[in-house]
Structures are given as structure tokens and as C-alpha cells.
Amino acid sequence: MTAGVPELLPQDVGTPIPVSGSVPADTYTYDYIVVGGGTAGCVLASRLSEDPTVSVLLIEQGPVADTWSSRVPLLSGNMFARDSLAARWWSLPLRNADNRFLEIIRGEALGGTSRINGMLYTRGSPGDYNQWKALGNDGWAYEDLESYFMKSENARSHPEAQLRGHDGMWQNQQFTDVPYKTTAYVDHAIELLGVERVPDLNNPDAPTACMGIVDIVQDSEYHRHSTYRAFLPPTLTRTRQDRLKICPNSIVSQVDLARVPGEERIRATGVYFEATNARKAGFRYLARARKEVVLCAGAIGSPQILMMRAQAHLLEKGIPVIKDMPAVGSHLSDHMGVPVAFEVPLSDSLHHLEESPLKAVMELARYIITGGGAFSRPFQNSSTFVPSRLLDDTGSISNKDPHHLDASLPENRPDIELMHIAHDCGDYDVSGKGVYTMLVTLIRPKSEGSVRLATSNPRARPDVDLGFLSDPADYAPLRKGVRFALRIGEEVRKQGYPLSELKVPDGTSDEDVDRFIRANLRTCFHYTSTCRMGHETHGERPSVVDAELKVHGVRDLRVCDTSVFPEIISSHIMAPAVMVAEKCADMMKGMPTV
Ligand SMILES: Cc1cc2nc3c(=O)[nH]c(=O)nc-3n(C[C@H](O)[C@H](O)[C@H](O)COP(=O)(O)OP(=O)(O)OC[C@H]3O[C@@H](n4cnc5c(N)ncnc54)[C@H](O)[C@@H]3O)c2cc1C
């Protein structure tokens, strides 16, 4: 037992396979089964179990692990720490980027990726969701979703903001003090280049070209506020343990499907699962759902589970296919980032903590005593968003026509984000140097990849093809973004600040910049759209779930995580994952959605 969450074993919540006739059919039956206790899954399980008359089973692959370091912002975002519970494996080679391999990363613990990520809370542009609606998804325009963003959050730093939530379970806040000198020079340079600085990047009325400090999910004690800590804390799970059963360290292999008598359709009746511990392999269990099964296993896990029954090509792997759905695992989208790195004085970057253990210890002590300092924040503090078409040849925004900056219009969505990071983001040797990185990120990529089963073993990692640069149209905005970052560097130097180019393209031609992009491209781990929402299962825009997140043609089965995004949004995706779960809970409860 860890930190008081009542944890159950597979044999406590499921019937062993083969099912014995002596076990009454109702014994291991729940109203709802939620698969995956990650970012969205914790929210959904929490909301569904508000009703004292329903029973909910939550099955999570990873442990409940509420360690101290998992709450310290700077430490908990370190995926390489031994207790980080970040699962890591290699992608397939990037065919269009020098056949490089990139690491696929997700959180595997209660809280999922919200337990290990960069903590940035961003809703995205209203135009992102108006685009979802334009693709045929009724009920998913920004005006339909705003109340769900507000319901979940407690925005501690924006008490006056009417369109931010202040009573929700999930806390976020913003640090307005500038942590390193570089930031002030960089921000000033960006303003000189025509981008407006805004106090709240989550204000839906902010222009599409804007820059500001990003809110982070953090509670009043300056701890990371993962969705586990916010929505399923021990105080809540203990009072609901009669109706909310939490089974960690268990992996769901398949959804149990049965034909609906007299109908073409099939229905989800339960899930098969087993302990994650390899020594328990071979002991399988079945839990049944009276009402619905909901997959919240993330944009890699949910298609992996569905593919066990739903793709014709899997016949070759000996997997019997119940329903052919070509969109399952297809259309993987991710933000791709190109780090443009500058050298700055060591004291102005996070590297000074690595170079001086004494300083690191003092900073940690400062965090423990005051809650402030370098350890109280994640790696990234601020961001700049720009639609690249507004950047002119000089690398600045001269077109200030309000129509072009109206964030509610899908065509105005920004396609470039510059993540401002006082650390290096590449694989090169920077020992002894201070580094400031502009991570130039393509946030509306046209390239798509896929998730495919490598074997029929549910414990095996699936093959992830990120598909970066498979659409050559992605070069143009990335090139503009890289040149914009270099231009910002120039403006900073003009102010007299000692910043020099460290990792930048060899020359100024398109070929030079493209070579740099291919050699340095990295994932932002923002996987979406592998079970995307839409009208059809086949045809021009094949999809997996409808606007109620129900899997097409299968009764009583929904998907609720970032895999359902009809298109990736032009910002970080954790807050939208929570919004999806809030809306899904209301739809399942039959409550009128706004
Ligand atoms: C390193 C990193 C940094 C990031 N930084 C940010 C950021 O700062 N801001 C932001 O907005 N976004 C960020 N993201 C992205 C964002 O955190 C995720 O996209 C989002 O949290 C995913 O939510 P989810 O519910 O879809 O999936 P997850 O949170 O990944 O949850 C899926 C859960 O399902 C479980 N699971 C999977 N398969 C099974 C199975 N078969 N059986 C049982 N359980 C299963 C997993 O263990 C996991 O707990 C980051 C991502 C990473 C990896």
C-alpha cells in the first residue's frame, strides 16, 4: 500500500480465466470499467464515482507511487530519474529525417503522463476546437468546451479572470518573477519583433500571435498537481472504496466483445487483464461491465488495446479480428521541435545547478523551506505562439490586422510555438556552458504517423512510427520558425546581452536550414488522434469514435484520452485531455452538455 489509496489485486476484482461455472456472473461486474488511470482516466473515474449508486473499476498498468520527488516540479519532470516511472522505448526510424530513432515516453503510474510531464497548463486556441466542430463533431466547438476547462481547474494566479475556473479540483499557478536574466532580454526582443506579451496565455481573447508565462499545474504547497493528486487523492478514494475499486500494476490485454442478439452490432461486455509483474504472466482475469467500458490508456495504449480486435492486417499475427477499423492506430500526430541553442552566462541557465552541487543543494533547501527557487518550476517557463504566415521576410510581424489575430478562427491558429528553456534540449556536449534554447515547435503538423502492434503479446511495446516530415509541407513553417529564433538572438545581442549562437544551421539557405531541421528534430511527446473522433469508419476521413466518444459500431465502448482528438491542437495537450474527460463523464451520466 502506498499513500493510502486502497489498492486491489487482479484476483480481488476479476474472475480467473477460464471462468469457473461456480462463480456467480455478477460477482466481478461493475457499472463502468475505466482502463488506464492516467491523465484522463483519473478524472473520469473520479467524476463517475461521484454517484453513490454506481460501481467503477479502474485498472492501471503502473503503480500508485506518490513519492516526494514525484511532487517536486524540477525533479519530477526528469524522465531519467530512477523513480520517474516514465516508460521509454525507441520509435521506428524517422524515414524522412536521417533514419534517426527518437524515444517514445509516457508515464506509467496512477496519474499517467501528468505525473512526469512538463506541468504546463495550456488550453489551446479557441480556433482549435472550432476546427474540431468544423470537421463535423457537434458539441466540440470552443463555446461548448469552455465550461469543462473551467470546471476542472482552480487557476490560483488569475483570481479576476472570468473565463478561468476557480473552484475546480485541479490547481494551477503562474510564476511572474523572471528566473534568469536571459528571459527579460528574450521577451523584450520578441516584443520588438511585433509579438504581444499577454498576462494569461489561456485567455481565449488573446491574439493568435502572443507571448507570455505559462501556467503550471501546481498546488498551494508548490507540489506538482498530477490528475491523480487532484482527482483521486487518498482522502477521496478511501471514502469511496465501496464503489470505486482501484487495481494498479495490471495490464488490460483485450476488450471482451459479444454480438448483440438480433443486431449487426457487437457490444463490449468487459475486459481481460493480468498483473504487470512478469512472474504472474499466464494468470488472466475477466471483469465485466454492466453499462460501459472506457479506454483511457492514452494515444498509444488505447489503439494498442483496440487493435487486438480491430484491424484486418492483424490476421497475419494470429489475432482474430472482430471488426475492421482502419483508423485505429493511424493518423498519429505529434508536435515536432527543433532546438535552436544559444550560449549564455552559466549563471543564467539551469546548467549552473549541474555544475555546482553546492548550489543545487542550496536551491533544494530553499524549495523545502520557502517553496520557491529553481526547484519549484519545471524546465520551461514561457512560450511564444505565432502563425508563421504572419512572419515577414525580416522575421517580424508587421501585419497587425485584428482579423488575422482573432484566435476564434481556425485559419488563424498559430502553427509555431517557441518554447523558452534555460537549458539545452539536444544531445550535444555542453559541459561548463550555460545554454538557452528556443525549441522551435511545429504545432500544426501535416505529417502523420501510426501505432501498430509489434506482436500479439499485450506486454510488448507497439511500433510507433512518428512519421515526422512525411509531408514536405511541414518544412516551410519550421524554416520560418528557425529563422525567427535566430532573429530573436540577433535582437538580444543588440541589447548588449552576451548571447552567442551555439547550435544553429551551418548557413542561411533553405537547404542549410532543412539539413539542420532533419538532424535535430525531436518529439514533444504530444501524441494524439490515433482513435480520432469523426463521422465515418471508412471513406475520406475515417475515424474511430463519434462525437459522444463511442466506438463506431460497438455498443457500450468509449475512448476518452488524447487519442480521440480529431486533430492535434496548437498547444500542449494535458489540459485538453482533462477537458475531454470532464465532458465524457457528463455524457456518460446523461447530463445535458453545455
Ligand atoms: C515528457 C513529457 C512531457 C510533457 N509535457 C507536457 C506539458 O508540460 N504540458 C502538457 O499539456 N502536455 C505535456 N505532455 C503531454 C501530456 O502530458 C500527455 O499527452 C497527456 O497527459 C496524455 O494524457 P492521456 O490521458 O491521454 O494519457 P496518459 O496520461 O499517458 O495515461 C494513459 C494511462 O494508461 C495506462 N495504460 C496504458 N496501457 C494500458 C493497459 N493496456 N492497461 C492498463 N493501463 C494502461 C498508462 O500506464 C497510463 O497511466 C508531455 C508528455 C511527456 C511524455
Side-chain angles (χ1 to χ4, degrees), residues 91-102 466-468 521:
S91 72
L92 294 181
L94 298 181
R95 273 173 310 221
N96 301 293
D98 306 339
N99 283 318
R100 292 166 54 223
F101 296 87
L102 298 179
L466 290 165
F468 286 173
L521 200 62

Side-chain angles (χ1 to χ4, degrees), residues 27-68:
T27 311
Y28 296 108
T29 303
Y30 308 84
D31 289 316
Y32 302 112
I33 300 179
V34 177
V35 176
T39 309
C42 286
V43 181
L44 188 67
S46 178
R47 293 299 185 199
L48 291 176
S49 61
E50 284 170 347
D51 179 348
T53 66
V54 304
S55 57
V56 179
L57 169 64
L58 173 63
I59 305 179
E60 163 54 39
Q61 180 165 354
V64 182
D66 191 17
T67 58
W68 180 76

Side-chain angles (χ1 to χ4, degrees), residues 178-197:
V178 178
Y180 298 105
K181 270 194 228 142
T182 328
T183 312
Y185 290 97
V186 168
D187 289 0
H188 184 54
I190 294 172
E191 277 184 298
L192 288 175
L193 295 174
V195 178
E196 184 178 330
R197 187 199 296 244

Side-chain angles (χ1 to χ4, degrees), residues 68 228 448 493:
W68 180 76
Y228 149 53
E448 289 183 347
R493 280 193 295 278

